[in-house]
Amino acid sequence: MLRSVKLEGDTAIINAEYLDHKSMNRILKSMDSEGIRRVKIKNVYGIRYIGAGMKSNMDIEIYGTPGNDLGIFMDGLRITVHGNVQDGCGNTMNSGEIIVHGHGGDIVGYSMRGGAIYVRGDVGYRAGIHMKGYGDRNPVLVIGGEARDFLGEYMAGGIILILGLNMKKRMFNMRFVGSGMHGGVIYLRGRIDRLGEGVEAAEVNEEDMKIIGRLAEKFCRYFNYEMDEVMDQEFMKVIPLSHRPYGGLYTR
Amino acid sequence: MRDLSRISNPYRDDKVIDSCSLFGVIDLEGRRFPPKAPIKAMDIMSERVNGLGAGFAGYGIYPEYRDAYALHVMFMGRDAKGRTEEFLKKNLRVLMAEEMPTGKEMRDAPLIWRYFVEPKIVNDKCSEDSDNQIVECVMKVNNGIEGAYIFSSGKDMGVFKGVGYPSEIAEYFCLDEYEGYMWICHGRFPTNTPGWWGGAHPFNILDWSVAHNGELSSYGTNRNFLEMYGYRCTMQTDTEVIAYALDLLVRRHKIPIGLAAKILAPPFWNEIDSMDSKERTLYATLRQVYGGLLMNGPFSIIIARSGEMMGLADRIKLRPLTAAIKDNLLYLSSEEAAVRSVSPSLDRVWNLRGGELLIGRLRSVKTLEIPPVVGLH
């Protein structure tokens, strides 16, 4: 384990090649308690649960392809991935930020309760499934490319923004968007012709555009885009028809 | 059988979060190689499996018997071997028979032999005739001879599988001594059915091999449908029906593979309703005639047959499958990380869409969709 770690100035470098997820997280936690604030993890091939449950403001940069459930339950970390992420990135994260320079797998942002995820490329199926917000917690998921079917499934709160920057047509090709959604909002840069049950498509208002502008600005900063090329299209939003779609299911 | 509950479920809770691992690689130029990379890739995904099953299918591994059917047989009962050999000699011409070369011992491993056979009377004009004879023999042995299971029956290919982790099974069968142009691999986390040697993946009949992550809730319906056509399920695992379904649809009913995939994972009725009339008739007919072969429930599968490796995920994509290309190699994998571990830089990598078949054919990659690229790939 010790041979996997070295210090360069104030940055700790971890070679992940011979580590499993338990030793990886043990190292990260001990570094955190030693007061190390910047960590680079190299040669990552499929290690799961990186940063699991860590309450910390540590800055972690990952080189390679981290495994499923990256940043699960994390509370405050800032994780930057130079590569693609797999399934369940940001699962039930509480706060902090995950910035992905590649693309994402399925269920990115699964059950997020706070913090933000920015993905430069596409994400897979069921992104933002069961995101929730309460009080000052309002999770954010921003995707530069496209998303697949069941985007925002069972969504209960938070904000999803899909930019579709790689799309040739302005029409999103995804089905069942917002199925079972009963809170939060999905912003789309483009149009959509198929929605899930219990949601509606609506025009964006001034308030919405302020939120979109704020998120787009961050996206541009992280991934070197110009605001003009991101804001050059019409936006729309998908919102739930009801806050409690199944409220009377057994009583009516 | 070894009690694995302490290893696979150390906290004795009633749910273990796991899932199978799939990996496949084909050299589109047809160059043969030992499965070193696939074994390493499977190791990267060890988190997905619990040691209760693993297997490999290699294509192009028996060039010296290219035209013979290679039967890999497990013997678990008394007299099973004697009775099987008697049956094979009576019904087929056995060109070569030997015990499967194996490395260090594994607990509970059955006796495994391989036989290179051909039909007694070969009809030159009709290779289908030979194929049908072999399928009939496989069904008769697996159903009629207690404790004998033919688990691999194709030409110039073979399945190697058992109870263990992928690296253990690879070592047991000395896979580094084989060379194939295509390998598909499976690591198992059994959910509903026992982890026994015959229940490991890939499942095979003739040229077809299938490795599967997921569970087929339609297994009963599929099995009943296939029984009408002479296929008898004996391996106690849902995946078996996929191999037989493909044999029935593509080899016997001559349905193109792309369309067969639309039988296993058909478009939704409301999508069929919005097609133009010719397409609508086609897909409605397929659903009506072959409704019994619709595979319901979550799945991602890697399918192999000579010269082709294919990937398919269920329509609403409840299991992962990633494809990647590097030079002349096409990869399919449950996780991208596994591909990166053997090929850190890739020409492109993408996640398959649910219900859309990806075909990698010798000297071509055919897909219904390779999406555009954003970000790092």
Short mmCIF file of all heavy atoms in Angstrom, two decimals, chain A residues 104-140:
data_model
loop_
_atom_site.label_atom_id
_atom_site.label_comp_id
_atom_site.label_asym_id
_atom_site.label_seq_id
_atom_site.Cartn_x
_atom_site.Cartn_y
_atom_site.Cartn_z
N GLY A 104 -20.42 9.44 -19.57
CA GLY A 104 -20.90 8.73 -18.39
C GLY A 104 -21.69 7.49 -18.76
O GLY A 104 -22.22 7.40 -19.87
N GLY A 105 -21.78 6.54 -17.84
CA GLY A 105 -22.56 5.33 -18.09
C GLY A 105 -24.02 5.53 -17.69
O GLY A 105 -24.54 6.64 -17.74
N ASP A 106 -24.66 4.42 -17.30
CA ASP A 106 -26.07 4.50 -16.90
C ASP A 106 -26.18 5.05 -15.47
O ASP A 106 -25.22 5.07 -14.72
CB ASP A 106 -26.71 3.10 -16.96
CG ASP A 106 -26.77 2.57 -18.39
OD1 ASP A 106 -26.75 3.39 -19.33
OD2 ASP A 106 -26.82 1.34 -18.57
N ILE A 107 -27.39 5.45 -15.12
CA ILE A 107 -27.78 5.98 -13.80
C ILE A 107 -26.74 6.94 -13.20
O ILE A 107 -26.42 6.87 -12.02
CB ILE A 107 -28.15 4.87 -12.77
CG1 ILE A 107 -27.05 3.81 -12.64
CG2 ILE A 107 -29.46 4.22 -13.14
CD1 ILE A 107 -27.29 2.85 -11.47
N VAL A 108 -26.24 7.85 -14.01
CA VAL A 108 -25.39 8.92 -13.48
C VAL A 108 -26.27 9.83 -12.61
O VAL A 108 -27.38 10.19 -13.00
CB VAL A 108 -24.76 9.74 -14.63
CG1 VAL A 108 -24.13 11.02 -14.11
CG2 VAL A 108 -23.72 8.91 -15.36
N GLY A 109 -25.78 10.18 -11.43
CA GLY A 109 -26.55 11.05 -10.53
C GLY A 109 -27.68 10.33 -9.81
O GLY A 109 -28.60 10.97 -9.29
N TYR A 110 -27.59 9.04 -9.74
CA TYR A 110 -28.59 8.20 -9.08
C TYR A 110 -28.88 8.69 -7.65
O TYR A 110 -27.98 8.78 -6.83
CB TYR A 110 -28.02 6.77 -9.08
CG TYR A 110 -28.82 5.69 -8.43
CD1 TYR A 110 -30.17 5.82 -8.14
CD2 TYR A 110 -28.21 4.47 -8.15
CE1 TYR A 110 -30.87 4.79 -7.57
CE2 TYR A 110 -28.92 3.43 -7.58
CZ TYR A 110 -30.25 3.60 -7.28
OH TYR A 110 -30.94 2.57 -6.72
N SER A 111 -30.12 9.07 -7.38
CA SER A 111 -30.54 9.45 -6.02
C SER A 111 -29.73 10.58 -5.40
O SER A 111 -29.63 10.68 -4.18
CB SER A 111 -30.49 8.25 -5.07
OG SER A 111 -31.60 7.43 -5.28
N MET A 112 -29.16 11.44 -6.24
CA MET A 112 -28.40 12.59 -5.70
C MET A 112 -29.26 13.40 -4.74
O MET A 112 -30.43 13.64 -5.02
CB MET A 112 -28.03 13.53 -6.84
CG MET A 112 -26.73 13.30 -7.49
SD MET A 112 -26.59 14.47 -8.86
CE MET A 112 -25.61 15.76 -8.10
N ARG A 113 -28.68 13.88 -3.65
CA ARG A 113 -29.45 14.72 -2.73
C ARG A 113 -28.86 16.10 -2.58
O ARG A 113 -29.39 16.95 -1.89
CB ARG A 113 -29.57 14.06 -1.36
CG ARG A 113 -28.76 12.78 -1.22
CD ARG A 113 -29.05 12.02 0.01
NE ARG A 113 -28.73 12.75 1.21
CZ ARG A 113 -29.21 12.43 2.40
NH1 ARG A 113 -30.04 11.42 2.51
NH2 ARG A 113 -28.87 13.10 3.46
N GLY A 114 -27.70 16.33 -3.23
CA GLY A 114 -27.09 17.66 -3.19
C GLY A 114 -25.84 17.66 -4.05
O GLY A 114 -25.45 16.62 -4.58
N GLY A 115 -25.21 18.81 -4.20
CA GLY A 115 -23.98 18.89 -4.97
C GLY A 115 -24.26 18.95 -6.47
O GLY A 115 -25.39 19.18 -6.89
N ALA A 116 -23.19 18.76 -7.26
CA ALA A 116 -23.34 18.91 -8.71
C ALA A 116 -22.47 17.92 -9.47
O ALA A 116 -21.37 17.57 -9.02
CB ALA A 116 -22.96 20.34 -9.12
N ILE A 117 -22.98 17.47 -10.61
CA ILE A 117 -22.19 16.63 -11.52
C ILE A 117 -22.19 17.32 -12.89
O ILE A 117 -23.26 17.71 -13.39
CB ILE A 117 -22.79 15.21 -11.66
CG1 ILE A 117 -22.82 14.49 -10.31
CG2 ILE A 117 -22.00 14.39 -12.67
CD1 ILE A 117 -23.46 13.11 -10.36
N TYR A 118 -21.01 17.50 -13.46
CA TYR A 118 -20.88 18.04 -14.82
C TYR A 118 -20.22 16.99 -15.70
O TYR A 118 -19.13 16.52 -15.37
CB TYR A 118 -20.03 19.31 -14.81
CG TYR A 118 -20.72 20.49 -14.17
CD1 TYR A 118 -20.71 20.66 -12.79
CD2 TYR A 118 -21.40 21.43 -14.95
CE1 TYR A 118 -21.35 21.74 -12.19
CE2 TYR A 118 -22.05 22.51 -14.37
CZ TYR A 118 -22.02 22.65 -12.99
OH TYR A 118 -22.66 23.71 -12.41
N VAL A 119 -20.87 16.60 -16.80
CA VAL A 119 -20.30 15.63 -17.72
C VAL A 119 -20.16 16.30 -19.08
O VAL A 119 -21.12 16.86 -19.61
CB VAL A 119 -21.21 14.38 -17.85
CG1 VAL A 119 -20.59 13.37 -18.82
CG2 VAL A 119 -21.43 13.74 -16.49
N ARG A 120 -18.96 16.22 -19.63
CA ARG A 120 -18.74 16.89 -20.91
C ARG A 120 -19.45 16.19 -22.07
O ARG A 120 -20.02 16.82 -22.94
CB ARG A 120 -17.24 16.92 -21.19
CG ARG A 120 -16.91 17.56 -22.50
CD ARG A 120 -15.43 17.62 -22.72
NE ARG A 120 -15.15 18.31 -23.96
CZ ARG A 120 -13.95 18.72 -24.30
NH1 ARG A 120 -12.94 18.51 -23.50
NH2 ARG A 120 -13.76 19.33 -25.44
N GLY A 121 -19.41 14.84 -22.07
CA GLY A 121 -19.98 14.08 -23.19
C GLY A 121 -21.39 13.59 -22.90
O GLY A 121 -22.18 14.26 -22.24
N ASP A 122 -21.69 12.38 -23.41
CA ASP A 122 -23.02 11.79 -23.25
C ASP A 122 -23.13 11.04 -21.92
O ASP A 122 -22.14 10.70 -21.31
CB ASP A 122 -23.27 10.77 -24.38
CG ASP A 122 -23.20 11.41 -25.75
OD1 ASP A 122 -23.54 12.59 -25.86
OD2 ASP A 122 -22.79 10.72 -26.70
N VAL A 123 -24.36 10.75 -21.55
CA VAL A 123 -24.59 9.81 -20.45
C VAL A 123 -25.55 8.73 -20.93
O VAL A 123 -26.24 8.89 -21.93
CB VAL A 123 -25.16 10.49 -19.18
CG1 VAL A 123 -24.11 11.35 -18.52
CG2 VAL A 123 -26.41 11.28 -19.50
N GLY A 124 -25.60 7.62 -20.18
CA GLY A 124 -26.42 6.48 -20.58
C GLY A 124 -27.86 6.60 -20.11
O GLY A 124 -28.40 7.70 -19.97
N TYR A 125 -28.46 5.45 -19.85
CA TYR A 125 -29.87 5.39 -19.49
C TYR A 125 -30.09 5.83 -18.04
O TYR A 125 -29.23 5.66 -17.18
CB TYR A 125 -30.39 3.94 -19.66
CG TYR A 125 -30.58 3.57 -21.12
CD1 TYR A 125 -29.51 3.54 -22.00
CD2 TYR A 125 -31.84 3.25 -21.62
CE1 TYR A 125 -29.68 3.22 -23.33
CE2 TYR A 125 -32.02 2.91 -22.95
CZ TYR A 125 -30.94 2.90 -23.79
OH TYR A 125 -31.11 2.59 -25.11
N ARG A 126 -31.28 6.37 -17.78
CA ARG A 126 -31.74 6.67 -16.42
C ARG A 126 -30.84 7.66 -15.67
O ARG A 126 -30.63 7.53 -14.47
CB ARG A 126 -31.87 5.39 -15.58
CG ARG A 126 -32.91 4.46 -16.14
CD ARG A 126 -33.07 3.17 -15.39
NE ARG A 126 -34.16 2.41 -15.96
CZ ARG A 126 -34.08 1.71 -17.09
NH1 ARG A 126 -32.94 1.66 -17.77
NH2 ARG A 126 -35.13 1.08 -17.56
N ALA A 127 -30.28 8.62 -16.38
CA ALA A 127 -29.49 9.65 -15.68
C ALA A 127 -30.43 10.42 -14.76
O ALA A 127 -31.58 10.70 -15.11
CB ALA A 127 -28.84 10.58 -16.69
N GLY A 128 -29.94 10.75 -13.57
CA GLY A 128 -30.73 11.54 -12.62
C GLY A 128 -31.91 10.80 -12.04
O GLY A 128 -32.83 11.42 -11.49
N ILE A 129 -31.89 9.46 -12.12
CA ILE A 129 -33.02 8.70 -11.57
C ILE A 129 -33.13 8.97 -10.07
O ILE A 129 -32.14 8.96 -9.35
CB ILE A 129 -32.87 7.18 -11.86
CG1 ILE A 129 -34.05 6.40 -11.29
CG2 ILE A 129 -31.55 6.63 -11.34
CD1 ILE A 129 -34.03 4.92 -11.67
N HIS A 130 -34.33 9.31 -9.65
CA HIS A 130 -34.62 9.51 -8.24
C HIS A 130 -33.79 10.61 -7.56
O HIS A 130 -33.47 10.54 -6.37
CB HIS A 130 -34.46 8.21 -7.45
CG HIS A 130 -35.60 7.99 -6.50
ND1 HIS A 130 -35.97 8.94 -5.60
CD2 HIS A 130 -36.44 6.95 -6.33
CE1 HIS A 130 -37.01 8.48 -4.91
NE2 HIS A 130 -37.32 7.28 -5.34
N MET A 131 -33.41 11.63 -8.31
CA MET A 131 -32.78 12.80 -7.67
C MET A 131 -33.80 13.45 -6.75
O MET A 131 -35.00 13.40 -7.03
CB MET A 131 -32.35 13.82 -8.73
CG MET A 131 -30.99 13.58 -9.32
SD MET A 131 -30.69 14.61 -10.76
CE MET A 131 -30.33 16.19 -10.03
N LYS A 132 -33.33 14.06 -5.69
CA LYS A 132 -34.27 14.67 -4.76
C LYS A 132 -33.70 15.96 -4.20
O LYS A 132 -32.48 16.12 -4.17
CB LYS A 132 -34.61 13.68 -3.65
CG LYS A 132 -33.38 13.21 -2.89
CD LYS A 132 -33.62 11.89 -2.19
CE LYS A 132 -33.40 10.73 -3.13
NZ LYS A 132 -33.47 9.43 -2.49
N GLY A 133 -34.55 16.85 -3.76
CA GLY A 133 -34.08 18.09 -3.16
C GLY A 133 -34.94 18.42 -1.95
O GLY A 133 -36.11 18.06 -1.89
N TYR A 134 -34.32 19.09 -1.00
CA TYR A 134 -35.09 19.50 0.18
C TYR A 134 -34.41 20.69 0.83
O TYR A 134 -33.19 20.66 1.03
CB TYR A 134 -35.21 18.36 1.19
CG TYR A 134 -36.03 18.73 2.40
CD1 TYR A 134 -37.42 18.79 2.31
CD2 TYR A 134 -35.42 19.08 3.61
CE1 TYR A 134 -38.17 19.16 3.41
CE2 TYR A 134 -36.17 19.44 4.71
CZ TYR A 134 -37.55 19.49 4.61
OH TYR A 134 -38.30 19.85 5.68
N GLY A 135 -35.17 21.72 1.17
CA GLY A 135 -34.58 22.89 1.80
C GLY A 135 -33.52 23.50 0.91
O GLY A 135 -33.75 23.76 -0.27
N ASP A 136 -32.32 23.70 1.45
CA ASP A 136 -31.28 24.32 0.64
C ASP A 136 -30.50 23.30 -0.19
O ASP A 136 -29.57 23.65 -0.88
CB ASP A 136 -30.32 25.12 1.55
CG ASP A 136 -29.66 24.24 2.58
OD1 ASP A 136 -30.13 23.10 2.78
OD2 ASP A 136 -28.67 24.71 3.20
N ARG A 137 -30.87 22.05 -0.08
CA ARG A 137 -30.23 21.02 -0.91
C ARG A 137 -30.94 20.94 -2.25
O ARG A 137 -32.12 20.63 -2.31
CB ARG A 137 -30.32 19.66 -0.24
CG ARG A 137 -29.56 19.56 1.05
CD ARG A 137 -28.31 18.74 0.83
NE ARG A 137 -27.64 18.49 2.09
CZ ARG A 137 -26.46 18.98 2.40
NH1 ARG A 137 -25.83 19.77 1.55
NH2 ARG A 137 -25.90 18.70 3.54
N ASN A 138 -30.21 21.21 -3.32
CA ASN A 138 -30.83 21.15 -4.64
C ASN A 138 -29.80 20.62 -5.64
O ASN A 138 -29.05 21.39 -6.22
CB ASN A 138 -31.33 22.54 -5.04
CG ASN A 138 -32.46 22.46 -6.03
OD1 ASN A 138 -33.16 21.44 -6.10
ND2 ASN A 138 -32.65 23.51 -6.80
N PRO A 139 -29.75 19.29 -5.83
CA PRO A 139 -28.69 18.72 -6.66
C PRO A 139 -28.79 19.15 -8.12
O PRO A 139 -29.89 19.45 -8.61
CB PRO A 139 -28.92 17.21 -6.54
CG PRO A 139 -30.35 17.07 -6.16
CD PRO A 139 -30.67 18.28 -5.33
N VAL A 140 -27.64 19.17 -8.80
CA VAL A 140 -27.56 19.64 -10.17
C VAL A 140 -26.82 18.62 -11.02
O VAL A 140 -25.76 18.14 -10.63
CB VAL A 140 -26.81 20.99 -10.22
CG1 VAL A 140 -26.41 21.33 -11.64
CG2 VAL A 140 -27.65 22.10 -9.61
#
